[in-house]
Amino acid sequence: MALAKQAKILSDRQFGMILAELDKRRYPLRDRTMFLFSTKAGLRAVEIASITWAMVMDAEGKVAEVIGLENRASKGSQGGRVIPMHPGLKAALVALQRQRGEKAHPDLPVIHSERDHGLSAGAVTVWFHQLYAHLGMIGCSSHSGRRTFITRAARKVSEVGGSLRDVQQLAGHRSLTTTARYIEGDQDAQRKLVALI
């Protein structure tokens, strides 16, 4: 995939604008959760559409500390993975679970339509496209949140003693080469790095 065709990553300012916009929407808790699945867990559109409450709940039916993404909800037979739950995403899920009540059943999708059905991967993709277009964010797509997540994880991983292999596993990529393609370079960091050599 050529760099020019990749979805743009989101800045902190854009992230704040999006959350403010979602708070004004008809389904603010659902929409916030959908956005945070993308940006704080790095989920693909198909994964956001397929994730059920069972994958985000512990044995007591409360929102868990991890997302247990099953293969059937992911891309292919090896896409399943365990992703630590970001505190902001967990808070959104807790609020959404409370609002949904009995409809937050383990077998039901977390992201629901107006009629309480799950959304298709195509509908999730369109939702993101319309959100970014409404806010004038050119070059952003349903993959922008995922690229933002992977890029930020790659920049921070050495601070926690990890490696790009950890980022690869969080992203659910079979190849480290694929993960590397997602990571946005930082020219300022590159300049500082070269100055240290």
Side-chain angles (χ1 to χ4, degrees):
M1 182 185 291
L3 187 62
K5 293 181 181 179
Q6 286 187 314
K8 299 260 178 88
I9 65 168
L10 303 170
S11 68
D12 290 339
R13 185 182 67 79
Q14 289 172 320
F15 193 89
M17 284 173 56
I18 292 163
L19 290 179
E21 168 63 24
L22 296 179
D23 283 343
K24 301 177 206 168
R25 298 254 173 135
R26 186 172 180 184
Y27 302 105
L29 292 178
R30 180 205 67 177
D31 292 356
R32 175 179 281 260
T33 302
M34 191 163 14
F35 176 66
L36 293 177
F37 270 143
S38 176
T39 57
K40 298 301 183 183
L43 299 189
R44 302 170 175 99
V46 66
E47 294 167 342
I48 294 170
S50 303
I51 197 163
T52 63
W53 282 103
M55 295 179 210
V56 297
M57 287 179 173
D58 62 21
E60 296 176 352
K62 296 179 181 172
V63 175
E65 296 299 320
V66 297
I67 299 168
L69 193 69
E70 298 173 15
N71 284 340
R72 66 183 170 89
S74 192
K75 187 178 173 184
S77 61
Q78 297 180 9
R81 58 201 183 275
V82 175
I83 305 165
M85 187 77 73
H86 184 276
L89 175 55
K90 182 172 184 175
L93 280 164
V94 167
L96 184 60
Q97 184 185 40
R98 191 178 306 121
Q99 181 189 68
R100 298 291 288 160
E102 291 181 6
K103 292 177 182 174
H105 185 276
D107 296 333
L108 295 177
V110 175
I111 303 304
H112 57 90
S113 69
E114 261 183 58
R115 296 181 180 173
D116 290 327
H117 301 295
L119 297 179
S120 68
V124 171
T125 300
V126 168
W127 182 88
F128 277 104
H129 173 77
Q130 291 174 342
L131 170 66
Y132 296 134
H134 174 73
L135 293 172
M137 295 181 183
I138 298 165
C140 292
S141 73
S142 62
H143 238 52
S144 290
R146 182 166 165 77
R147 276 202 76 214
T148 301
F149 172 82
I150 293 169
T151 296
R152 288 183 178 182
R155 290 179 183 169
K156 297 284 188 183
V157 71
S158 64
E159 294 176 21
V160 296
S163 71
L164 282 182
R165 174 80 173 131
D166 297 298
V167 179
Q168 176 193 349
Q169 290 176 341
L170 286 172
H173 289 146
R174 291 182 191 174
S175 162
L176 194 55
T177 304
T178 304
T179 305
R181 279 193 228 120
Y182 275 72
I183 301 168
E184 181 84 7
D186 183 331
Q187 291 185 340
D188 189 46
Q190 291 167 16
R191 180 182 53 78
K192 290 174 183 174
L193 178 62
V194 169
L196 292 174
I197 296 172

